[in-house]
Amino acid sequence: MATTITKTETLVGKRIRRKEDPRLITGTATYVDDIQMPGMHHACILRSPHGAARIRSINIKPAINQAGVVAVFIGKDIEAVGPVPCGASLPGLRVPAHSILAKDRVYYVGHPVAVAVATDRYIARDAIDLIEVDYEPLQAVSDPEKALEPGAPAVHPEWPDNTAFTFHQEGGEPEKAFKEAEVVVKQRITSQRLVPTSIETRGVVADYRSAEKNLTLYSSTQIPHLLRTLVAQMLGLAENRMRVITPEVGGGFGSKLNVYAEEALMGFVAMKIGKPVKWIESRRENFLCTIHGRGHVDYYEIAARRDGTVLGLRLKLIQDLGAYHQLLTPAIPTLSVLMMPGLYKFRNVIADIVGVFTNCVPTDAYRGAGRPEATHGIERMMDLLALELKMDPAELRLKNFPGKGEFPYLTATGLSYDSGDYAAPLKKALDMVDYHKLRNAQRDAKAKGRLMGIGISTYGEICAFGPSPATPAGGWESATVKIEPSGKVTVLTGTSPHGQGEETTFAQIAADELGVSMDDIIVLHGDTSIVQYGIGTFGSRSTAVGGPALYYALQDLKAKIKKFGEMLLESDDVTCSGGQCICNKTGKTIEFAQIAAASYRAMKLPPNTEPGLMATHFWEPPNFAFPFGAHIVVSEVDRDTGQVEIQRYVAVDDCVNIINPLLVDGQIHGGVAQGLGQALCEQAVYDENAQLITGELMDYALPKASTMPYIETGHTITPSPVNPLGVKGVGEAGTIGCSPAVVNSVVDALSHLGVRHIDMPLTSEKLWKLVRQGGQA
Amino acid sequence: MTRKITLKINGKSYSHEVEPRLLLIHYLREVVGFTGPHIGCETSICGACTVELDGKAVKSCTMFAVQADGRNVTTIEGLATDGRLHPMQEAFWNEHALQCGFCTPGMIMTSKELLERSPHPTDDEIRHGLEGNLCRCTGYQHIVNAVRAAAAKAGA
């Protein structure tokens, strides 16, 4: 429950209900599909039904002849439009030409082939059924391991080995570590393809004004400025004549951290027909054409001493890339490698990634982006090691953390973990579940034949993306703060929140710094013509990078306020806080609103000071931030149905200073739900012909209110030196910590049957079979 | 070929000539202009399009506008009266039961009807009552809190 707010109290750290909610709970917010314009047309896209096929011919005549259809465009019409961009670069990376409509070949089910434009949504949908495409189906491949086999169908004929890149990283002396190890544990671990499934699908409205050569693109995106830069390039437009507006965005989770064919295609259509055009992705399209997440097959080996000291880690990572690179596709598995040691003192690591083309929709960033896969891998391996050594999994973990005094901790993969006390959240979580008592209860339950398990995961994550040298497109963030002549405050953030709540948390920060009421502050974002260039919202970065940018802009502004205060109070001994400046000698005060008015009226100015009250700061973070935590799951498998019941879910997270605990809880809950989805029910399944057979919500199981457990949250606070607010990100933490805790608990429940590992999702069918077959898969 | 329909939406009467195949959600959003109910899946699974039809929560994405002829529809826009939020809206706000807000109008409509049918639900009953509405942001916990809080307030 939220607390009420008054002007005098400190707002950072309070459970304050959100400023963005009134429009959302009354149905008056504007999402992209809510936009209507005079003369607006509707577009519908015809997509490939084949995983791989040659296009022999396309006949658009039956469609174009329909009343209400104004245009149909196919591959040969869009020759002048640039390719869908890949922002990631790796040595030797093979980048297939990725045109916004297929030309002579299609590479995955859902590949856009033609676009029909009509006066009405229904007519556009009818029109694509009338386009005749003559396909010559080709052999397709959807399994990344099969794609690597000799003789596998080539996704791109020019690269018959289906290998987009290989990537090698090592640190320390891994070969020596494995040679000297007393125990080596190996396991193949998959992290299945997932569909991000924001409840709002993607959508675009494009409006081109030919007299001014201005294109306005309304898009449900997480990155308005980057989208403008890249789509302007694709369309050959002057960037300053293009405007991207991000209306309300109904969830992204990384799937809208991208530049999609349809965004440029709608710009192209609007320019061609001279009318505004709208395209709203159907749910089916969202499954087929919006990026998927994960898609790993990992081969792990862990080297250790008999006493449980970890020595080395080896990983062969096969990344299913899909048919193309989207914005960050090839970069995602490199994040897994960076995080592969988890929170443990592995001094010797070796990793090899193979990025594999398949006839599937591309994978890219989905909540956690590479870190859930890495955390799942290492946390499963730690449990396998504990099983092998007959050690308690909590004890094994506590033994291998770097100590509190070892920070900043340099990992064998080259990261510098900024700050941490990794034992603290684990110990707190163990206390919350009363671990020793719980183990006794488990022993009793198992003795009675019940399949009860306890699963632990600890996680660390790279967040606050990030230092610019480590990111493809700049990792800084920007903020502008304006005090208007009336004293009201406007914040412009370069982040692009879409549910995270920065309109509230940034107002809390600004209110505290300026000593004004939150009601007097408005936070604007997501319009490239209003907001200075920014990077966007993803990678748990908005508060951790956008927050400090705001903080520093506020400091600049406060310095300027003080100068005006000194001038107006005719004193050099002035303190400014709580919405006013006070002369320490006379006690005379002047309100910020009066200072603002004087600064714009500018009858008189302090020395070397410009009129007006506005400050902009672009903040470059010195490092990533590394939040961490521990999750514990108590589960029971129903012997008769294979159903997993989560009896307790405890999440203890250390994201350092919390701006708004209500919102942090919300992020953890939502993150856990997505981790639990992966652990228990979600899976994008392509058959051997590369048909997506889980292409609807009917076939793809999302967590529901009735299937989610109650989540108990706890926090520890370990100060971070990375930024002045002492904050780290929390958006992805829940997802990253979740899946291994769930799987570890279920494996623990079945370990006495000889079960060592189960790949996700832990469907009841899979577990029922395992129980029936005495642990044999 | 069109058909004339006349119905009440949020207490006001509307009459339009519509194509028989026009879905109720498209009628509400694009013809009448109530864009509060959203389209999330077009297959009545996600519940973002939920509205009340003669007092019952229904999914307007899998129903034709002509089927609403002569009936009474309430959308999220019809809940607040005289600028005062409905207690369920207030509870969603207080409990942080929404993030991106896209599922929220449907979620609130379903929750409201749930309490009308069952004024004192257990947490389990709330969770089962919301099975037809998907949320990808909140993990549902704060939504359950909101419904429980609204029930407590109504009972107080």
Side-chain angles (χ1 to χ4, degrees):
Chain A
M1 167 94 199
T3 48
T4 51
I5 47 170
T6 62
K7 183 184 165 182
T8 47
E9 63 181 340
T10 303
L11 301 178
V12 166
K14 295 265 165 36
R15 298 174 78 83
I16 294 169
R17 64 182 191 173
R18 296 197 311 176
K19 283 169 79 76
E20 36 278 83
D21 287 359
R23 63 178 188 264
L24 299 170
I25 55 177
T26 53
T28 51
T30 303
Y31 295 85
V32 68
D33 196 17
D34 301 340
I35 295 167
Q36 302 254 30
M37 287 182 183
M40 191 173 79
H41 283 56
H42 294 263
C44 199
I45 296 170
L46 177 68
R47 297 179 182 277
S48 167
H50 300 291
R54 227 171 255 127
I55 299 175
R56 289 202 195 100
S57 65
I58 303 177
N59 180 14
I60 64 168
K61 272 199 199 111
I64 203 90
N65 288 339
Q66 284 296 303
V69 176
V70 302
V72 175
F73 299 104
I74 61 172
K76 70 174 170 52
D77 301 316
I78 49 88
E79 295 288 350
V81 180
V84 178
C86 169
S89 57
L90 290 169
L93 179 67
R94 291 166 169 173
V95 183
H98 188 179
S99 59
I100 62 170
L101 288 174
K103 291 184 175 163
D104 53 353
R105 214 178 150 112
V106 289
Y107 294 86
Y108 64 97
V109 173
H111 198 149
V113 172
V115 58
V117 188
T119 50
D120 172 273
R121 191 192 282 269
Y122 287 52
I123 297 172
R125 177 63 190 81
D126 288 344
I128 62 165
D129 286 344
L130 298 171
I131 300 169
E132 295 163 356
V133 186
D134 184 11
Y135 292 105
E136 178 193 339
L138 302 167
Q139 269 209 311
V141 63
S142 60
D143 179 315
E145 288 193 290
K146 287 196 178 134
L148 288 175
E149 287 170 6
V155 176
H156 297 281
E158 61 269 44
W159 301 310
D161 62 2
N162 289 322
T163 300
F165 68 93
T166 58
F167 178 88
H168 176 85
Q169 185 169 352
E170 63 178 89
E173 296 177 287
E175 299 307 333
K176 189 165 165 254
F178 274 88
K179 211 186 266 170
E180 291 172 1
E182 292 164 1
V183 53
V184 173
V185 178
K186 302 180 185 186
Q187 183 62 46
R188 176 184 186 271
I189 297 173
T190 62
S191 191
Q192 76 274 29
R193 262 185 184 256
L194 300 176
V195 185
T197 331
S198 54
I199 302 297
E200 182 205 34
T201 58
R202 290 184 295 125
V204 185
V205 172
D207 181 18
Y208 184 67
R209 305 293 165 98
S210 57
E212 298 146 312
K213 296 189 172 61
N214 276 354
L215 175 68
T216 303
L217 205 68
Y218 300 81
S219 185
S220 183
T221 183
Q222 301 173 225
I223 47 167
H225 283 94
L226 295 174
L227 184 68
R228 182 186 64 161
T229 300
L230 294 166
V231 172
Q233 263 173 32
M234 293 166 79
L235 294 174
L237 287 171
E239 188 178 3
N240 58 355
R241 290 185 175 277
M242 188 171 161
R243 177 180 186 182
V244 170
I245 298 176
T246 305
E248 213 72 59
V249 172
F253 316 115
S255 72
K256 296 172 182 172
L257 157 56
N258 229 304
V259 176
Y260 284 99
E262 294 86 353
E263 290 171 314
L265 183 59
M266 289 310 118
F268 169 84
V269 169
M271 290 162 76
K272 283 283 176 197
I273 67 168
K275 296 279 185 195
V277 63
K278 180 193 276 186
W279 168 75
I280 300 298
E281 187 184 50
S282 68
R283 178 55 61 189
R284 173 80 177 150
E285 286 178 297
N286 184 261
F287 272 89
L288 291 175
C289 315
T290 290
I291 61 102
H292 288 178
R294 321 287 188 251
H296 272 218
V297 180
D298 295 332
Y299 290 85
Y300 275 98
E301 291 178 45
I302 190 169
R305 285 201 203 103
R306 279 260 152 227
D307 69 357
T309 307
V310 297
L311 299 173
L313 190 61
R314 186 182 282 145
L315 168 64
K316 185 184 166 201
L317 191 169
I318 297 167
Q319 172 71 51
D320 175 359
L321 300 167
Y324 288 111
H325 303 312
Q326 277 285 345
L327 194 60
L328 300 171
T329 301
I332 305 302
T334 64
L335 294 175
S336 304
V337 167
L338 282 176
M339 286 310 291
M340 68 187 263
L343 298 181
Y344 311 110
K345 291 176 77 170
F346 284 98
R347 300 313 311 159
N348 310 294
V349 299
I350 180 165
D352 282 286
I353 305 175
V354 190
V356 186
F357 289 124
T358 58
N359 291 106
C360 304
V361 73
T363 51
D364 203 321
Y366 166 57
R367 203 167 192 166
R371 290 99 82 208
E373 297 91 317
T375 305
H376 193 75
I378 189 62
E379 289 303 301
R380 285 270 49 246
M381 291 309 292
M382 291 302 277
D383 259 33
L384 282 162
L385 180 61
L387 197 66
E388 175 72 25
L389 299 174
K390 296 187 172 58
M391 252 178 104
D392 182 278
E395 190 193 329
L396 179 69
R397 285 171 170 83
L398 288 166
K399 186 180 176 71
N400 286 293
F401 291 143
K404 252 197 297 193
E406 293 182 60
F407 290 88
Y409 179 79
L410 196 68
T411 73
T413 53
L415 294 172
S416 174
Y417 289 173
D418 57 334
S419 59
D421 179 1
Y422 297 156
L426 178 55
K427 284 181 177 163
K428 183 161 183 177
L430 293 169
D431 283 348
M432 282 169 75
V433 297
D434 202 345
Y435 186 62
H436 291 292
K437 220 165 144 188
L438 191 64
R439 282 286 178 204
N440 289 335
Q442 182 194 22
R443 222 162 286 133
D444 293 348
K446 280 207 172 184
K448 288 180 191 143
R450 284 168 51 201
L451 305 173
M452 176 185 169
I454 302 163
I456 297 171
S457 86
T458 63
Y459 75 90
E461 66 147 320
I462 320 177
C463 83
F465 282 84
S468 293
T471 57
W476 45 268
E477 198 44 87
S478 68
T480 294
V481 187
K482 301 190 273 188
I483 300 185
E484 312 289 0
S486 60
K488 301 288 182 190
V489 180
T490 304
V491 172
L492 310 175
T493 173
T495 67
S496 194
H498 44 281
Q500 294 81 356
E502 270 77 22
E503 289 176 37
T504 304
T505 49
F506 283 7
Q508 288 176 262
I509 293 169
D512 276 4
E513 288 298 320
L514 296 173
V516 301
S517 160
M518 266 178 82
D519 291 339
D520 288 334
I521 300 170
I522 185 165
V523 179
L524 301 177
H525 52 83
D527 183 338
T528 60
S529 288
I530 293 177
V531 180
Q532 71 289 338
Y533 209 98
I535 302 298
T537 288
F538 54 88
S540 304
R541 71 187 304 279
S542 290
T543 302
V545 189
L550 171 61
Y551 174 85
Y552 285 115
L554 286 163
Q555 302 315 308
D556 291 349
L557 197 63
K558 280 163 68 178
K560 195 167 181 184
I561 288 170
K562 188 157 184 278
K563 280 191 186 176
F564 275 100
E566 287 168 352
M567 178 189 77
L568 294 166
L569 293 169
E570 297 174 327
S571 165
D572 55 6
D573 186 9
V574 165
T575 306
C576 297
S577 67
Q580 60 177 19
C581 290
I582 182 164
C583 173
N584 295 324
K585 283 187 191 128
T586 63
K588 237 173 91 179
T589 63
I590 183 164
E591 297 286 319
F592 283 3
Q594 292 169 275
I595 292 175
S599 80
Y600 287 97
R601 181 66 187 83
M603 289 292 281
K604 197 178 161 202
L605 293 170
N608 305 317
T609 305
E610 295 164 7
L613 284 183
M614 175 167 129
T616 299
H617 194 95
F618 284 63
W619 189 65
E620 171 64 30
N623 188 4
F624 299 106
F626 296 89
F628 54 92
H631 290 203
I632 297 183
V633 169
V634 183
S635 71
E636 188 162 338
V637 178
D638 186 314
R639 198 175 271 283
D640 298 323
T641 64
Q643 195 83 32
V644 178
E645 186 201 354
I646 306 287
Q647 295 174 334
R648 281 191 81 176
Y649 196 109
V650 170
V652 180
D653 295 276
D654 194 321
C655 58
V656 201
N657 292 337
I658 291 174
I659 311 287
N660 187 330
L662 190 63
L663 273 56
V664 167
D665 280 351
Q667 289 296 318
I668 296 290
H669 296 164
V672 166
Q674 290 185 9
L676 210 74
Q678 172 163 28
L680 296 181
C681 52
E682 294 181 37
Q683 182 171 26
V685 182
Y686 282 90
D687 71 9
E688 65 276 15
N689 299 315
Q691 285 290 337
L692 182 64
I693 56 175
T694 52
E696 277 292 349
L697 284 171
M698 199 74 88
D699 303 312
Y700 186 91
L702 291 183
K704 296 181 178 192
S706 56
T707 61
M708 278 299 296
Y710 176 79
I711 300 158
E712 302 162 60
T713 52
H715 299 280
T716 58
I717 295 176
T718 308
S720 162
V722 173
N723 62 63
L725 296 171
V727 292
K728 297 181 180 182
V730 73
E732 296 159 297
T735 306
I736 293 169
C738 176
S739 72
V742 174
V743 176
N744 285 345
S745 80
V746 172
V747 171
D748 187 49
L750 305 179
S751 61
H752 60 287
L753 302 174
V755 173
R756 290 178 75 247
H757 175 74
I758 316 170
D759 271 326
M760 301 181 288
L762 306 182
T763 58
S764 49
E765 181 197 6
K766 199 183 278 182
L767 300 184
W768 180 78
K769 278 185 185 160
L770 262 178
V771 174
R772 294 263 298 182
Q773 293 157 12
Q776 303 303 305
Chain B
M1 186 196 68
T2 56
R3 254 188 67 179
K4 190 175 177 184
I5 58 168
T6 304
L7 67 163
K8 263 195 174 169
I9 307 170
N10 299 331
K12 239 184 104 179
S13 194
Y14 294 85
S15 196
H16 287 97
E17 290 281 339
V18 299
E19 266 195 76
R21 68 170 176 171
L22 183 70
L23 294 171
L24 179 57
I25 183 73
H26 285 140
Y27 173 73
L28 293 171
R29 291 174 47 81
E30 294 178 4
V31 180
V32 192
F34 287 112
T35 55
H38 297 139
I39 305 169
C41 71
E42 311 114 27
T43 50
S44 71
I45 293 176
C46 82
C49 64
T50 305
V51 299
E52 261 186 26
L53 186 74
D54 295 335
K56 278 206 167 120
V58 300
K59 292 175 177 176
S60 61
C61 77
T62 36
M63 188 176 161
F64 294 115
V66 292
Q67 291 175 287
D69 188 21
R71 302 175 77 174
N72 221 322
V73 176
T74 307
T75 71
I76 186 75
E77 287 97 330
L79 286 198
T81 45
D82 304 328
R84 283 188 49 208
L85 294 175
H86 184 277
M88 191 59 76
Q89 291 173 310
E90 193 76 39
F92 267 62
W93 190 7
N94 286 338
E95 299 297 335
H96 185 37
L98 59 145
Q99 290 177 30
C100 82
F102 197 77
C103 75
T104 308
M107 200 63 89
I108 289 177
M109 295 308 289
T110 305
S111 302
K112 171 183 172 284
E113 196 229 16
L114 172 68
L115 287 198
E116 283 162 3
R117 273 189 290 120
S118 165
H120 308 290
T122 62
D123 277 14
D124 261 3
E125 286 165 347
I126 296 171
R127 286 178 181 273
H128 282 285
L130 296 177
E131 264 187 340
N133 290 70
L134 296 177
C135 169
R136 192 61 158 161
C137 294
T138 63
Y140 303 100
Q141 191 153 318
H142 284 167
I143 296 176
V144 176
N145 289 354
V147 178
R148 194 194 309 113
K153 205 167 177 193

